Amino acid sequence: MEPVKIGLLGLGTVGGGTYNVLQRNAEEIARRAGRDIIVSHASVRNPARVEALGLRDVRLSEDPAAVVDDPEIEVVVELLGGTEPALSLILRALENGKHVVTANKALIAMHGNEIFAAAHRRGVMVAFEAAVAGGIPIIKSVREGLAGNEIRWVAGIINGTGNFILSEMRDHGRDFADVLAEAQRLGYAEADPTFDVEGVDAAHKLTILAAIAFGMPLHFEDVYTEGISGVTREDVGYAEQLGYRIKHLAIARRAEGRVELRVHPTLVPEKRLIAHVDGVMNAVQIQADALGPTLYYGPGAGAEPTASAVVADLVDVVRTLTSDPDNRVPHLAFKPDQVVDLPIQPMEEIETAYYLRLQAVDRPGVMAQVSAIMGDLDISMEAILQKEPAAGETTVPLIMLTRRVREQRINEAIRRFGELDAIVGEIQRIRVETLG
Ligand code: HSE
C-alpha cells in the first residue's frame, strides 16, 4: 500500500521527538498501522533544527499554511502550541479534509467544542492523546479501556513542573524559585511558567479529562484554579508530620448530577500510591464503578515521551482512514449527540476536609476562641498541632485538620479567625482529599 504522508507543524522539542521516533521505529510502526507513515512536509521557523535533526526527503516551508494546504498530506500534526495560529491552521486543515493530531492542550481545552464540531462535519478525526499527561495513554484508557464503567472521579498530578517543585521542596528544603528555574532549564515548564505553578496547564488537561470521563462538553472557564506559589516549606513539613504529602491535584468528580472541576494544592494521605509520585512524573487516579480504583503513571512531558503519544495517535488515525466516520471512537468518548452538559458545582458547595495554619499570639485562651468558632460552625477537628514559638517570636503556628465540611463554612471560619486580635498574618487553607 502507498505510504501515508503526514505534515508536521513545528519542529521544536515535540516535533523533533516525533520525527525521531517515526524514523527509528518506522518498521514496527508500519507493522502496526498497516502502512508506512512518512513525514513529507514540515514547517520550521528555525533552520538550524533541520540540520540538528538530520531531516531527509522532507519538503520544508516557513509558512505552516503551506503544509495545511499541501494536497499530498493526509494527516496534519500540529505541534506549535498556543492558540493562534494553531487554531486557524487546524480549522483550515479540517476544512481541507485532513485528519489532525495535536498535543495542544490549551487549544483543545478552550476551543475543542468548535474543533470537534468542524471535524465531525467533515468526517475527519482530531486525535489529542499527547495533550494530557504527555506520554501516558490516559485518553485511550478512559475513552476505550473504561468504556464499560460509570466514572465517579478523576484525580491527577498532571503538571510535571509543579510536582517537581513540591517534591524538591519536601526532599531537599529548596526554595520555590530555584526549583522553578531548574525545571525551565530542563525544558518541562511552559513558555509562561505561571501556567505551571498557578495551575492553568493542569486546568487545561483536567477540562479534557472531565469531558471524556463524563461525556460533557469542554468547560475550561469553569475550572476552579489555585496554584502552588502560596505553599510554604513549613506547610510541606507540617503535612508530613500529620501523615500527608502536599500534591497539586486536578480533580473532577461527578455527584448528584453536578460536576466538580478543581485544581489546587491538596494534602493526600501518605499511604496512597499517588502521594509517592515525585519529580516531573505524572499520575492519574480514576475511580470507576465496575473496575474500582486504577492509577496511571509515567512521564508527562519531554520530547520522546510526548512523541510516543503523538505517534500512537498517528497509528490510530492511519488504521481508521478507510473506516466509516460514524464507526470511529468518538472524540469525546460518547457519541456526539450523547454529549450532555452538566452543571458545575460552585466551590462554596464542595465538601472536603481542610488543613488550616494560623499564626496565633502565644497566650492562654486563644485556643478556646478558635475552638469556639469551630464549634459554632459545626466543624469537627481531626487533629491539632501547636508548634514552639521561633526564637524571639511571641506568636506560634497553630495547625488544624478538619473532618469533611462544606467549603462555605470553612470560608466563614477563616473570616472569623481573621477578626480575632490573637490571630496575626495570613491564614493558610489547603484542601485534604483521602482518595479512598
Ligand atoms: N509544562 C507541562 C508540565 C508540560 O510541566 O507538565 C507538559 O504538558
Side-chain angles (χ1 to χ4, degrees), residues 120 123 323-330 335-336:
H120 189 60
S323 72
D324 164 13
D326 279 341
N327 288 321
R328 294 179 186 146
V329 180
K335 290 285 194 187

Side-chain angles (χ1 to χ4, degrees), residues 305-387:
T306 311
S308 164
V310 170
V311 174
D313 273 350
L314 274 167
V315 171
D316 257 0
V317 169
V318 171
R319 281 178 179 147
T320 56
L321 279 178
T322 51
S323 72
D324 164 13
D326 279 341
N327 288 321
R328 294 179 186 146
V329 180
H331 292 117
L332 291 181
F334 292 70
K335 290 285 194 187
D337 60 356
Q338 295 297 316
V339 171
V340 179
D341 214 351
L342 292 167
I344 310 297
Q345 181 86 298
M347 275 308 276
E348 288 246 297
E349 287 174 33
I350 71 151
E351 199 182 288
T352 191
Y354 294 84
Y355 160 102
L356 299 172
R357 175 173 51 77
L358 283 58
Q359 199 64 24
V361 175
D362 193 13
R363 66 166 187 243
V366 176
M367 188 57 100
Q369 288 180 310
V370 168
S371 300
I373 292 175
M374 296 297 250
D376 192 35
L377 291 166
D378 205 19
I379 302 172
S380 278
M381 304 284 264
E382 179 74 34
I384 303 179
L385 273 181
Q386 182 185 319
K387 308 307 289 183

Side-chain angles (χ1 to χ4, degrees), residues 157-215:
I157 296 172
I158 46 180
N159 181 269
T161 303
N163 200 45
F164 179 62
I165 293 173
L166 288 174
S167 305
E168 288 288 308
M169 284 170 76
R170 191 185 75 90
D171 294 344
H172 306 291
R174 288 175 67 189
D175 279 337
F176 179 89
D178 168 38
V179 192
L180 175 60
E182 185 179 341
Q184 285 178 286
R185 268 200 310 278
L186 293 170
Y188 293 115
E190 294 301 299
D192 177 352
T194 61
F195 273 37
D196 295 298
V197 295
E198 298 308 337
V200 180
D201 176 70
H204 288 145
K205 296 166 181 168
L206 181 71
T207 302
I208 301 171
L209 276 179
I212 61 166
F214 306 137

Side-chain angles (χ1 to χ4, degrees), residues 47-170:
R49 289 291 289 161
V50 176
E51 204 169 321
L53 290 165
L55 245 60
R56 284 188 311 272
D57 305 325
V58 179
R59 192 178 148 202
L60 298 167
S61 297
E62 208 177 316
D63 178 9
V67 179
V68 164
D69 291 339
D70 182 340
E72 287 206 320
I73 298 298
E74 283 186 80
V75 189
V76 170
V77 183
E78 184 276 309
L79 301 171
L80 300 168
T83 307
E84 281 298 351
L87 176 61
S88 306
L89 289 163
I90 285 182
L91 292 174
R92 186 155 155 178
L94 298 175
E95 207 40 55
N96 288 344
K98 299 181 195 306
H99 302 276
V100 170
V101 173
T102 177
N104 195 330
K105 55 240 160 156
L107 192 66
I108 295 294
M110 292 190 293
H111 299 281
N113 296 322
E114 176 191 354
I115 291 171
F116 298 140
H120 189 60
R121 276 197 304 275
R122 293 292 281 128
V124 290
M125 288 173 69
V126 178
F128 51 96
E129 180 66 69
V132 182
I136 306 174
I138 191 68
I139 304 284
K140 200 168 193 66
S141 301
V142 176
R143 206 160 58 173
E144 297 172 53
L146 302 182
N149 289 259
E150 183 184 291
I151 296 177
R152 302 259 156 86
W153 53 259
V154 176
I157 296 172
I158 46 180
N159 181 269
T161 303
N163 200 45
F164 179 62
I165 293 173
L166 288 174
S167 305
E168 288 288 308
M169 284 170 76
R170 191 185 75 90

